[in-house]
Amino acid sequence: MKASANKREFEKKIVRKETRAYQGRLQEEINQDRENHGKKPFPPDKFDKEETKEIKESITDSESGYYVKGERTKQFAYSFHAAADRNS
């Protein structure tokens, strides 16, 4: 769904990449499994890497995202999904 935002008016921002919610539990399980198999656990700093990415944020509509639909079509838009069963 197209947003009412000018595709030429944006700011470039550097944001932190989102990590999975269960990442902490997963790290504990990995280290526990490594200890059970006689290996040294991973150090905590191996998992604590901050990953960032650069995004384009609209000045007029900051909640919309920048979508590239093809080689030429670039726009700010919203993404939503709907599901229906056989009875609509």
Side-chain angles (χ1 to χ4, degrees):
M1 177 182 212
K2 189 174 180 181
S4 60
N6 189 342
K7 64 182 174 184
R8 293 181 191 92
E9 292 182 12
F10 60 85
E11 295 176 336
K12 290 187 178 181
K13 291 189 174 184
I14 297 176
V15 295
R16 184 174 58 95
K17 284 188 179 180
E18 293 295 320
T19 58
R20 296 187 177 116
Y22 63 88
Q23 184 176 3
R25 290 184 303 185
L26 184 64
Q27 292 168 1
E28 291 174 9
E29 288 181 28
I30 290 170
N31 282 337
Q32 185 65 35
D33 186 56
R34 288 181 62 85
E35 288 177 5
N36 291 343
H37 287 90
K39 297 179 181 179
K40 294 192 307 186
F42 287 124
D45 61 336
K46 179 172 177 67
F47 297 114
D48 293 338
K49 292 182 181 175
E50 282 282 323
E51 295 185 25
T52 59
K53 64 180 179 178
E54 185 176 302
I55 62 167
K56 294 180 181 180
E57 184 178 280
S58 172
I59 295 172
T60 56
D61 190 3
S62 61
E63 293 180 359
S64 63
Y66 192 73
Y67 292 96
V68 179
K69 294 171 63 176
E71 281 186 26
R72 299 175 188 214
T73 308
K74 299 172 184 170
Q75 65 184 10
F76 285 101
Y78 293 100
S79 176
F80 64 93
H81 302 280
D85 60 0
R86 58 188 152 108
N87 297 323
S88 296

